[in-house]
Amino acid sequence: MIIILLGAPGSGKGTQSKRLADRYGYQHLATGDIFRAEIAKKTTLGLKAQDYVKNGKLVPDAIVTEMVAGRIDAKGKFLLDGFPRNLEQAQALDSMLKKDGVTVSLVCLLALDSAEAIRRMSARRICSQCGAVYNAATAPPAKDGVCDACGGAVVQREDDTEATAKKRLMVFDDLTQPLVAYYRGEQIFEEVDANQAPEKVEAALAAFIEAVGAKS
Ligand code: AMP
């Protein structure tokens, strides 16, 4: 079972993927999280990706698809967060799965307007050690700058500054929107209003996942 969550940066893909992966026993494959971890560890992959990530640009498709191919198992249960990001990646994913006679089960778009996405990105803070996500205005850690979960430093992502956040939204509009258009005509496509409270978004996504689970 392969489920894809699509949405602009700041639309809540990460938060929702974590909740739903735990709830339904999916592996959460978040390409942005993987890149940040590899960059922090200064691995070969991290060094290849770091300038793109820092500047809000997409990492080249060949690097991303090789990374995903090494981590995904077509016969497993995966919730994909941040991949695919363009049509080429979607086609690469389809051919990875096709070898095992598998197709994508569900694509959900978290729809959010750009102004709200920018607001959310500028308030977002993450733990530099465990990746836990906070909001500087509405959900800060109990102790300023210290992660509740692991005691790591809570910081703003380098690519969440206003200028880079705007650039990432433009990349989303240019490259990911055509992908949304590609899936929108398909039966596996569903859309959720991401302006709603996280619990409501989760409930809507859960209903779609349960409907797909019931069919398989
Ligand atoms: P995210 O955490 O999903 O917002 O991703 C952060 C950054 O990681 C993006 O701005 C890209 O630089 C890179 N990245 C993550 N996923 C992909 C992908 N599927 N293709 C290309 N670059 C990606």
Side-chain angles (χ1 to χ4, degrees), residues 109-192:
L109 170 67
L110 296 180
L112 188 72
D113 60 81
S114 302
E116 178 61 15
I118 299 271
R119 263 197 298 281
R120 289 190 188 178
M121 278 187 272
S122 42
R124 175 163 55 189
R125 300 290 181 273
I126 62 162
C127 173
S128 50
Q129 274 182 36
C130 73
V133 181
Y134 298 92
N135 181 298
T138 58
K143 191 171 169 210
D144 199 24
V146 181
C147 179
D148 296 342
C150 75
V154 173
V155 297
Q156 182 171 40
R157 271 170 54 171
E158 226 176 348
D159 59 350
D160 272 348
T161 54
E162 192 171 338
T164 311
K166 282 188 176 151
K167 210 182 327 168
R168 288 163 60 212
L169 272 178
M170 281 166 58
V171 170
F172 174 79
D173 284 339
D174 284 351
L175 300 174
T176 312
Q177 289 291 16
L179 179 62
V180 172
Y182 167 79
Y183 285 126
R184 196 183 283 279
E186 306 285 320
Q187 281 192 345
I188 53 166
F189 183 84
E190 302 288 355
E191 182 168 333
V192 175

Side-chain angles (χ1 to χ4, degrees), residues 44-170:
T44 311
L45 176 60
L47 294 176
K48 278 189 205 162
Q50 68 182 6
D51 285 345
Y52 299 100
V53 174
K54 187 174 164 192
N55 293 308
K57 293 184 182 158
L58 290 193
V59 176
D61 292 339
I63 298 176
V64 186
T65 50
E66 190 188 332
M67 178 181 96
V68 171
R71 287 171 165 82
I72 204 167
D73 168 8
K75 296 194 180 103
K77 288 174 76 178
F78 282 84
L79 218 161
L80 305 185
D81 160 9
F83 179 90
R85 276 290 224 281
N86 59 25
L87 275 178
E88 290 70 21
Q89 293 182 12
Q91 283 157 354
L93 174 65
D94 284 343
S95 40
M96 273 176 225
L97 301 179
K98 206 170 165 188
K99 285 186 215 133
D100 291 296
V102 171
T103 55
V104 172
S105 303
L106 176 66
V107 179
C108 292
L109 170 67
L110 296 180
L112 188 72
D113 60 81
S114 302
E116 178 61 15
I118 299 271
R119 263 197 298 281
R120 289 190 188 178
M121 278 187 272
S122 42
R124 175 163 55 189
R125 300 290 181 273
I126 62 162
C127 173
S128 50
Q129 274 182 36
C130 73
V133 181
Y134 298 92
N135 181 298
T138 58
K143 191 171 169 210
D144 199 24
V146 181
C147 179
D148 296 342
C150 75
V154 173
V155 297
Q156 182 171 40
R157 271 170 54 171
E158 226 176 348
D159 59 350
D160 272 348
T161 54
E162 192 171 338
T164 311
K166 282 188 176 151
K167 210 182 327 168
R168 288 163 60 212
L169 272 178
M170 281 166 58

